[in-house]
Amino acid sequence: MNSKNPSSPAPMEAKASLPRGAARDAVEELGRRIVNDIYREGEAIPTEPELAESLGVSRTTIRDAVKVLSGKGMIRTARRYGTKVRPISEWHLMDSDVISWHEPTHSRLGQMFVETTELRCIFEPAAAELAAQRATSEQIRVILDSAHALVPGALNTTELYAEDSRFHCTILDATCNMMMRQLRPMIISILRISYEFGVQTENGGTPYREGHIRVAEAIRDRNGAMARQEMEQMLEANRETASAYWNARKASATKA
């Protein structure tokens, strides 16, 4: 089956817009330093001239980078105390750039994945129920195609990620609820953590294909209660897998 539909949401939607050239490089380097605790929350980062010298860019470039990071909730600038790292609770943690700047071994990624999976367990079953009631025939086709496309060994990790994202995002679209639809970037970012950091590949090899198909078929059959139930079961399995995976990584890191 082919679910490559031009109107379907693609994972690239989650990628936040960044400036180009030197400013982009400066944003990404400073972002990595912040999320990986080189510059810790509550602490002042180096001054504008110091950053310009260390990165080999102009002060204007640094100012542009600081604006971007401020927009992501990561730093705050004031004349009295310079530029400081804001509390982590104020960061845009579901921003795909913020996620990608973490080192793969950073403990925060585990916490973020487990907690966002818990959040999905709250709203995605309801979304599946609404989708069963409201989805168009085209949306049902995309949901079914994406579910069936999740075949072990048939797709590479990038393709699996794209199909998994398309499946869940189309369900959100099919609710016909504007607020639900705006959760798509969050879903894409959550899945990105899962695929990029090995939760899927090291625990079962592929997404829970059978669960996706059962959800899709319940939506096709306009069975809202069943769609909710199947989504709940699938996400609960994901939550248990995520918790076990990150706990094992934490234990391994402690032993090392």
Side-chain angles (χ1 to χ4, degrees):
M1 294 189 178
N2 179 14
S3 60
K4 302 296 188 297
N5 187 310
S7 64
S8 300
M12 299 309 292
E13 286 185 2
K15 187 64 179 175
S17 140
L18 290 178
R20 296 183 178 181
R24 182 189 184 99
D25 294 340
V27 169
E28 296 201 314
E29 177 59 29
L30 294 177
R32 283 191 289 268
R33 292 180 186 182
I34 292 169
V35 301
N36 294 301
D37 309 312
I38 294 174
Y39 305 146
R40 297 181 177 275
E41 68 175 305
E43 294 182 353
I45 68 173
T47 65
E48 190 178 283
E50 290 171 335
L51 289 173
E53 182 177 357
S54 70
L55 297 180
V57 297
S58 69
R59 294 177 63 174
T60 299
T61 296
I62 295 299
R63 284 194 289 272
D64 290 342
V66 166
K67 288 178 184 178
V68 173
L69 295 172
S70 295
K72 294 178 183 293
M74 300 176 71
I75 56 178
R76 179 186 291 114
T77 300
R79 290 186 178 180
R80 297 181 184 179
Y81 58 81
T83 301
K84 289 187 176 181
V85 179
R86 296 173 69 175
I88 294 170
S89 60
E90 297 178 7
W91 298 2
H92 298 178
L93 291 172
M94 295 317 304
D95 183 301
S96 61
D97 295 320
V98 176
I99 292 170
S100 68
W101 292 334
H102 285 80
E103 291 294 332
T105 55
H106 201 296
S107 61
R108 188 182 302 121
L109 283 171
Q111 179 183 357
M112 288 168 61
F113 187 77
V114 170
E115 291 182 0
T116 50
T117 302
E118 289 177 353
L119 180 58
R120 289 179 67 193
C121 289
I122 295 170
F123 73 81
E124 280 203 83
E129 184 172 13
L130 287 174
Q133 300 166 12
R134 302 173 179 175
T136 66
S137 58
E138 175 62 12
Q139 287 169 332
I140 291 173
R141 184 193 69 78
V142 173
I143 292 166
L144 282 165
D145 283 357
S146 295
H148 283 280
L150 299 171
V151 180
L155 301 178
N156 62 34
T157 300
T158 299
E159 291 168 332
L160 286 171
Y161 168 52
E163 294 296 348
D164 210 357
S165 296
R166 187 170 288 110
F167 173 88
H168 290 281
C169 290
T170 304
I171 288 176
L172 293 181
D173 281 350
T175 66
C176 299
N177 181 307
M178 289 190 297
M179 302 305 171
M180 282 279 195
R181 190 178 190 280
Q182 291 195 8
L183 294 171
R184 295 195 317 175
M186 188 190 76
I187 289 291
I188 293 169
S189 294
I190 295 168
L191 290 172
R192 179 175 180 171
I193 299 174
S194 177
Y195 281 93
E196 288 195 353
F197 297 100
V199 177
Q200 298 289 359
T201 56
E202 295 185 21
N203 290 274
T206 60
Y208 186 29
R209 180 173 186 263
E210 294 79 9
H212 284 74
I213 292 173
R214 287 197 293 269
V215 171
E217 290 178 344
I219 292 173
R220 177 201 62 194
D221 297 340
R222 304 294 184 181
N223 189 333
M226 183 60 68
R228 174 187 280 268
Q229 178 181 319
E230 293 294 350
M231 183 68 85
E232 286 176 346
Q233 292 179 355
M234 182 172 69
L235 291 176
E236 178 58 25
N238 287 353
R239 188 193 65 77
E240 291 175 357
T241 295
S243 296
Y245 173 75
W246 290 105
N247 286 338
R249 283 188 62 163
K250 188 186 299 183
S252 177
T254 300
K255 291 179 181 178

